[in-house]
Amino acid sequence: MTCPIFVGRSDELAALNEARRGLAQSRGRVVLVGGEAGVGKTRLLAQFLGTVARDPRPRHLASVECIERAERPFGPFRELIGALGGTFDVFSEAPFDKTEIFARAFDFFTGLAAKRATILSIEDLQWADRSSLELLAYLAARIGGTRLLIIATYRTEDVERDDALVSASRLWAEPAVARSVVEALDDGQTRELIRGTLDGRADVPEPEREEIVRRSEGNPFFAEELLKAAAEARTGRAAKLPVSIRATIAARLSMLSTAERDVVSHAAVLGFRFDPEALALTLGTDLDAVMPALRRGRDLNIFVEEAQDRVRFRFRHALMREVAYESLLAFDARRTHARILRALEAVPDTERHVDALAYHAWAARDAAKTISYGERAGDEALAIRALPEARTFFERALEACATPGDEARISARLGNVLELQGAMGESMERLEAALARYRALGEIDRAADVIRQLSAIRNNTGDVGSVAAGKAFLDEYWERISLVSRDALVAMLARLAMIQYDMRSARAFLARLTAPEDLPPRAAQNIIVTRLELAFLAGDVPEYRIEVQRLFETATGTLPPLTALSALYTTAQGATWLGLTDIANELLARAGRLEARGEFNAIAFYAGAVRAMAAYYRGDLAAARAAIVSARRGAEVAVARMALALVAPLVSVALGEPDLVSPLVEGELSELRRTATTPDDAMLLAAAAALALERGNPRSAQDDLRAALSCLPRILASAGTILGLAAEHLPAEDLAPLRALLDEPLLPQDVAGHAHASLVAALLARRFESIEAATAHARTAAARYRELGHPLFEAWALEVANDFAAARKLYVRSGAAGDVRRLDARDARSSGPVDKLSEREAAVARAIASGATNAQIADGLSISVRTVEKHVAAIFAKLGLRSRSQIAAAFARDSKTAAQPAHHG
C-alpha cells in the first residue's frame, strides 16, 4: 500500500518551484532539503522532479543517490556526469590538482546549463564523500549567474553529529545556498495522508486510524507502514510492529556499543520520558556513569534533551522506545518495572517521580499502586493541561479498580478529561457510570457533582432534556443533598435554562438558591452568567457592565479553565452584539491567555466561531474569515457548529465567498427549520435567509424570516440581521409580527435595540411611506450603529439613506469584497435601470417600487408567483442590488404608473 497523494508539503514544493523559475533569469542555486528519516524528503523531491519532467520546455535533468559507506571519491558527481552524457572523464586517474578537477566539473555543468536549464538532484547527502562535499561547496560559490539548479536532501539527525557534512561549513554559508527543513506532519495532515492512502481500498476503523496518528508522530513513512500493518491485521497477517519500521530503527540503534544499548534498553523500560537520575538508580550506578551513553544517544538523535524545571530526556520517537523495549523478554520487563518501582519509592522526594511511579506500577501489574499513583499522576498531568497523559493515567487506574467507590471516583475523573478533549460521547459514558455507582453507594453529594457536569455536557451536545434531567435529580434528592452541593446544582441548572432561553425556569432556579453568597467560584460564575444573559435580553447595558465586572473577578480566580472559558466566550458574544467593544476585547484577551495554558479541544472551535462573530461586527472580515476556517475543523461539536452557523453565512455573503459555508453548517441550518423556537434559532434562520437571498432563492428566505420573527420576544441586540432582512423582503401581509416588535418599549440605554428599530423603520418607510422619511430614519440608524462600532450595519443604513459613497467606504475598510462588487456594479450602470432589464423584469421592478407583493404582481401580470421570484432574482443580479427597498429607490420615478397593473389587473 503506497500513498498516491502529496500531503502537507505545499510550502516546500513552492520553494523548489520558485528556485526552478529563477533559472530563466540565470539565478542558479543550491537547495538543501533536510528532515528526519521517513519524513517525506524523497516524496517531495519526486513530486518536484515529476513536475519538471512534465514541463514541455527542454531541460537537462539528472538524479543520483548517495550510498552509505560508499567512499568512492566524487561518487555522486561521477554518476551525474555519466547520466548527462559526459564524453570525457573529469575524474580520471591522471594526477590533476583538486582545483583543476573542480574547475573541469564546473565547466562541464555550466556548459550544459548555457544551452538549456540544468537540474541535478542528490539524495542522502549525509553519506556523500568529503571530496563531493567540497566540490558541491565550490559549485555553490560560483553557481549564481548560471542556469544550474542543484537540489540535495540530507537527514537532519545525521547532520547533527560531527560528520563530513557538518564540517563542510563553507557550503552552508554560501549566499546561493538555500536551506529548507521538512517538518513532521501535524495530526490533520496525517489523517489526510491516511485517507488518501486507503482511498476506499481497506477498512481500518476510525479508532485504529487515530492510534496510527498518535504513534506515527507526523512521520509519513511510519504512518504508512503502521497503516499497512493495520490493514493486514484485518486478515490476521500483520506483526505487532512492521518489520520495515523495526529495521529502520534497529539500524540507528546498531550504532551504539553494547554498554550504550544496555543504557538505552533500561531507559526504554523507564518510559518515553525519563529522568537521568532515575535511570542511574535503576542501573545501580551514578549519574556520571550514564551521561556518556545519553550524550551518544542524543548525538545519534535517539534521545532529545529537555531542560525544564529539571533536566529530563525523551526518546526522539515513541517507536524508537518501543523497539528498544520489545527487545526485552516480557518476564524480564515486568520484573524490571517492579524493581524500578521499589527503587523510586525509596527516593525521599517521590512526588518528583509520580508519573514514573504510576507507569511502573501499571507495567508491573500492581493494581493497588496503579490506582494510587495513577490518580495522582493524572491529577498532576491535568493541572498542566497534559490531557493525553492524564487520560492514559486515569484509564490505567480505572482498569485496576476492584471496588465500586474506586470505580466511581476514577470514572468521574476520566470523564472530566474526556470532556476537555472534546470526546463528549465517551465523557458521558464515564460520567453515567460514576453517577450510577454513587447513587448505589448512597453518596448523593458526589452524585450531585456528577449530574451537574453531566447536565452541562448534555446541553453542549444539543440535548434539550438536560435541564429536565437535572431538575428530576434535584427534586428526588433535595433533602439529602448538602447545602453547598444543592446550590451549585441549582446554579448550573439556572445557567442551562438560560442557554435554552427558558427565562421562567432560570428565574425559578435562582429563587431556589439558599445561600448564593457561599457558593464556590464555579457555581458563582453560573449565577453571574445567568444574570448577564437576563440583562442582555432586557437590553440593560449598565446592568450588563456590572455583571461583567463580577465575572472578571470570578474568572481570574481558581475556576477550572474550561468553565472560565465557556463563560468568557459566551459573554463576549453578548458584549459584541451590545456594542460593548471594550468589554468584548477584554473578554477575548482573557480567554486567549487562558487557552494558551493548554489544549482545550472541547471549546477551541466554539471559541473560533465567537471570534469570527466579534470580527464580523467590528468590520474585520479578514480576521472573521480566518477564524471561520479554523473553527470549521471542529464543527462536529454541537455548540461550535451552531455558533459557526450564526456567522459563516453572513461573512460568506459579505466577502462573496460561498465556500465558507461548509456542509456541516448547511446541515445545521436545514435541521433547524423543523425545530426553531429560541432567539438563537432566530439568528440562525436569519443567517440561512441571507444565504438564500445570495443564492437567488427569495421564497426560502421568506420562509426562514417568518419563522425567525416568531422566535423573538422583543427587539434584541443580536437580531439586527433578522429585522432588517424581514423589513426588506417579507410581503406586506407578513409584516404584522415585525410591526408588533417595533411597538415593544426599549430601555433608553439599549443603543443596539434602538439602532435596529431605526433601520427597520427606514426600510418600511422606503417601501410604504416616502423616501424622505426613510432617509431620516436611516441616518438615525447609521449614527447609532457608528456609536456601537458596527460598520457593516452602518453601511447598510447608509445605503437605505442613498449615501452609497459613504457605504462603499465602510465596505472597503471592512474588506467586504462582495458588497463592494455589488455597489460597483450599481455605479457602473451607464443608463437608467430600466435599460438593463427585459420588459417583463422592468414591469416587476416598477410594481415592487409601488409596494406590491409578489402575489399581487403575479395577479396583475398574469404570471405565477414562482416566475415573479425568478424575475426578482434577475433584477438583483443585473442591477447589483440586494433588497426590494433598493429596487424601489431605483424605480421611484416610475412606480406610480407601474403599480396599476399589479394592483388592479
Side-chain angles (χ1 to χ4, degrees):
M1 182 185 297
T2 58
C3 181
I5 59 174
F6 187 69
V7 174
R9 304 294 182 230
S10 57
D11 290 344
E12 294 89 341
L13 186 60
L16 292 179
N17 282 322
E18 180 63 27
R20 179 184 61 159
R21 286 189 289 271
L23 296 181
Q25 288 80 41
S26 296
R27 295 202 308 267
R29 295 187 73 79
V30 173
V31 180
L32 302 177
V33 180
E36 68 175 21
V39 81
K41 303 182 299 297
T42 297
R43 182 172 297 160
L44 170 67
L45 186 58
Q47 178 83 359
F48 170 72
L49 294 176
T51 302
V52 173
R54 291 189 295 272
D55 192 324
R57 288 171 292 184
R59 284 188 174 86
H60 293 300
L61 186 64
S63 301
V64 66
E65 296 179 15
C66 298
I67 307 300
E68 188 174 10
R69 298 187 179 88
E71 296 295 330
R72 184 187 183 194
F74 302 108
F77 285 101
R78 290 174 186 267
E79 291 189 39
L80 288 170
I81 289 174
L84 291 169
T87 57
F88 64 96
D89 192 353
V90 174
F91 307 107
S92 68
E93 298 304 321
F96 291 129
D97 179 83
K98 183 179 288 187
T99 303
E100 186 175 353
I101 293 175
F102 288 0
R104 286 196 176 198
F106 177 75
D107 289 343
F108 177 81
F109 289 124
T110 55
L112 291 175
K115 298 175 183 178
R116 61 179 61 172
T118 300
I119 299 176
L120 311 177
S121 72
I122 305 172
E123 285 203 69
D124 291 319
L125 192 65
Q126 76 278 355
W127 291 331
D129 61 278
R130 288 183 180 271
S131 297
S132 293
L133 294 173
E134 291 174 0
L135 175 54
L136 182 60
Y138 179 91
L139 295 174
R142 295 160 176 81
I143 204 171
T146 73
R147 293 194 296 166
L148 178 62
L149 172 62
I150 303 174
I151 303 169
T153 69
Y154 65 92
R155 291 185 180 179
T156 49
E157 63 264 35
D158 290 317
V159 172
E160 288 168 5
R161 305 198 313 276
D162 184 20
D163 60 9
L165 188 51
V166 171
S167 65
S169 57
R170 177 181 167 191
L171 172 63
W172 303 99
E174 290 295 342
V177 174
R179 296 176 62 184
S180 174
V181 176
V182 181
E183 303 290 351
L185 302 176
D186 61 31
D187 287 355
Q189 291 167 336
T190 305
R191 293 185 186 99
E192 182 184 349
L193 182 143
I194 291 171
R195 285 193 296 271
T197 303
L198 291 175
D199 194 24
R201 294 190 297 274
D203 180 21
V204 177
E206 191 63 31
E208 292 185 33
R209 297 189 190 192
E210 287 301 308
E211 179 68 8
I212 291 169
V213 171
R214 184 188 67 79
R215 294 180 70 194
S216 66
E217 298 180 37
N219 186 297
F221 170 71
F222 289 167
E224 290 175 8
E225 294 303 305
L226 290 169
L227 185 61
K228 183 190 299 182
E232 292 176 350
R234 315 302 291 177
T235 61
R237 297 197 308 271
K240 185 175 183 181
L241 190 66
V243 173
S244 54
I245 295 179
R246 290 176 180 275
T248 300
I249 296 173
R252 185 153 302 278
L253 295 176
S254 69
M255 299 179 185
L256 299 166
S257 67
T258 301
E260 290 166 343
R261 282 199 295 272
D262 185 51
V263 172
V264 171
S265 64
H266 275 77
V269 175
L270 278 171
F272 177 64
R273 283 182 170 83
F274 59 90
D275 188 319
E277 293 181 357
L279 176 60
L281 186 65
T282 63
L283 287 166
T285 185
D286 58 28
L287 186 61
D288 291 337
V290 300
M291 286 308 297
L294 293 180
R295 282 193 288 269
R296 174 65 172 160
R298 181 198 59 194
D299 292 342
L300 288 173
N301 223 31
I302 295 169
F303 298 134
V304 174
E305 186 176 3
E306 295 181 332
Q308 299 173 345
D309 294 339
R310 62 182 189 273
V311 175
R312 296 207 306 177
F313 285 79
R314 66 171 172 85
F315 280 85
R316 173 67 183 80
H317 200 288
L319 296 181
M320 283 187 175
R321 182 252 169 189
E322 188 173 334
V323 170
Y325 182 88
E326 290 181 357
S327 65
L328 297 170
L329 295 174
F331 176 77
D332 286 341
R334 183 171 173 179
R335 185 171 57 180
T336 303
H337 282 296
R339 186 175 69 251
I340 293 171
L341 177 61
R342 290 193 297 272
L344 291 175
E345 288 179 321
V347 175
D349 187 9
T350 57
E351 289 303 317
R352 287 183 56 193
H353 308 291
V354 67
D355 53 348
L357 288 164
Y359 167 67
H360 294 296
W362 171 78
R365 302 298 184 266
D366 188 324
K369 291 180 179 179
T370 297
I371 297 171
S372 173
Y373 292 133
E375 189 170 6
R376 286 164 55 190
D379 286 338
E380 184 179 276
L382 187 57
I384 61 172
R385 296 349 250 179
L387 300 182
E389 290 83 356
R391 176 176 180 172
T392 297
F393 286 129
F394 286 132
E395 285 178 338
R396 289 172 177 172
L398 185 60
E399 289 175 1
C401 288
T403 67
D406 285 341
E407 286 184 25
R409 188 180 68 259
I410 304 299
S411 289
R413 305 294 289 122
L414 179 56
N416 180 39
V417 173
L418 290 167
E419 179 192 3
L420 293 173
Q421 286 188 306
M424 299 303 188
E426 294 178 82
S427 175
M428 286 191 289
E429 288 180 13
R430 295 303 182 188
L431 291 171
E432 290 280 10
L435 178 62
R437 292 295 189 193
Y438 281 137
R439 292 177 83 159
L441 291 168
E443 297 186 23
I444 304 305
D445 273 6
R446 291 190 172 184
D449 293 339
V450 174
I451 198 71
R452 188 173 66 242
Q453 186 177 359
L454 195 53
S455 296
I457 296 174
R458 282 174 174 164
N459 177 78
N460 288 339
T461 56
D463 183 352
V464 296
S466 57
V467 174
K471 184 177 182 300
F473 179 92
L474 190 67
D475 292 341
E476 181 179 357
Y477 294 104
W478 179 266
E479 297 297 335
R480 297 176 59 185
I481 311 174
S482 69
L483 181 62
V484 173
S485 291
R486 189 171 67 199
D487 272 359
L489 178 54
V490 169
M492 171 60 76
L493 295 176
R495 171 81 182 93
L496 297 180
M498 271 311 305
I499 289 174
Q500 297 176 15
Y501 285 96
D502 185 352
M503 290 171 280
R504 177 177 298 178
S505 293
R507 292 190 180 99
F509 282 125
L510 292 179
R512 296 182 74 176
L513 289 168
T514 307
E517 67 281 358
D518 296 330
L519 282 171
R522 185 169 185 171
Q525 187 187 81
N526 286 327
I527 297 302
I528 293 169
V529 174
T530 300
R531 290 172 177 160
L532 269 166
E533 294 184 0
L534 288 170
F536 172 81
L537 291 175
D540 192 341
V541 175
E543 182 64 23
Y544 197 89
R545 285 186 176 276
I546 291 171
E547 294 297 338
V548 167
Q549 292 306 315
R550 291 175 179 163
L551 176 67
F552 284 157
E553 295 169 7
T554 307
T556 55
T558 58
L559 280 170
L562 186 62
T563 302
L565 282 169
S566 177
L568 290 170
Y569 280 121
T570 299
T571 309
Q573 267 190 314
T576 294
W577 287 318
L578 288 169
L580 304 177
T581 305
D582 58 332
I583 288 179
N585 289 341
E586 176 63 18
L587 288 160
L588 293 175
R590 289 177 181 240
R593 291 193 293 270
L594 193 56
E595 274 191 283
R597 298 184 191 175
E599 179 186 350
F600 300 98
N601 288 342
I603 201 168
F605 305 120
Y606 170 66
V610 173
R611 291 182 184 278
M613 179 68 77
Y616 172 80
Y617 270 81
R618 69 172 179 263
D620 186 351
L621 289 172
R625 185 189 186 284
I628 288 169
V629 171
S630 173
R632 284 195 307 191
R633 294 183 294 111
E636 69 277 2
V637 180
V639 291
R641 186 170 63 248
M642 186 182 77
L644 195 59
L646 283 174
V647 65
L650 304 180
V651 176
S652 170
V653 171
L655 289 174
E657 293 187 30
D659 290 343
L660 280 182
V661 181
S662 67
L664 278 173
V665 167
E666 294 268 19
E668 178 76 14
L669 297 174
S670 177
E671 177 67 23
L672 172 73
R673 292 186 174 101
R674 297 195 296 271
T675 59
T677 56
T678 71
D680 280 345
D681 297 336
M683 289 183 286
L684 287 167
L685 287 168
L691 198 61
L693 290 168
E694 180 73 5
R695 294 171 176 175
N697 191 352
R699 174 173 288 183
S700 175
Q702 289 171 351
D703 290 342
D704 288 337
L705 292 169
R706 291 186 194 98
L709 287 178
S710 70
C711 297
L712 291 179
R714 57 183 296 278
I715 291 181
L716 301 178
S718 54
T721 302
I722 307 163
L723 301 168
L725 292 181
E728 279 189 328
H729 297 285
L730 283 182
E733 62 268 24
D734 292 331
L735 291 173
L738 181 61
R739 295 185 186 279
L741 290 172
L742 287 178
D743 292 337
E744 291 290 327
L746 295 171
L747 294 177
Q749 60 267 33
D750 186 1
V751 178
H754 284 290
H756 299 334
S758 295
L759 177 63
V760 171
L763 291 166
L764 293 178
R766 171 74 75 183
R767 291 178 62 181
F768 305 112
E769 298 176 28
S770 68
I771 299 298
E772 292 76 15
T775 300
H777 287 303
R779 292 204 174 280
T780 299
R784 285 170 169 159
Y785 285 128
R786 194 175 308 119
E787 180 183 350
L788 290 167
H790 294 169
L792 293 173
F793 280 87
E794 181 185 348
W796 189 358
L798 289 170
E799 282 196 64
V800 180
N802 288 334
D803 192 347
F804 297 107
R808 188 184 188 282
K809 286 181 181 178
L810 288 173
Y811 286 136
V812 169
R813 191 180 74 192
S814 301
D819 288 310
V820 171
R821 286 195 296 270
R822 175 175 54 77
L823 288 188
D824 285 348
R826 175 190 176 280
D827 292 340
R829 297 197 305 271
S830 59
S831 58
V834 71
D835 297 321
K836 295 290 185 181
L837 306 179
S838 69
E839 182 178 348
R840 180 54 57 86
E841 289 165 354
V844 171
R846 292 190 182 98
I848 290 173
S850 73
T853 66
N854 285 359
Q856 291 169 335
I857 296 170
D859 182 53
L861 298 178
S862 300
I863 57 178
S864 69
V865 172
R866 184 177 295 276
T867 300
V868 173
E869 291 173 350
K870 290 181 179 179
H871 287 318
V872 172
I875 294 167
F876 286 155
K878 290 182 178 181
L879 302 185
L881 304 177
R882 73 176 187 181
S883 69
R884 297 172 76 94
S885 64
Q886 291 172 354
I887 293 174
F891 284 82
R893 290 175 299 175
D894 303 316
S895 61
K896 293 183 180 179
T897 57
Q900 297 305 316
H903 284 299
H904 305 291

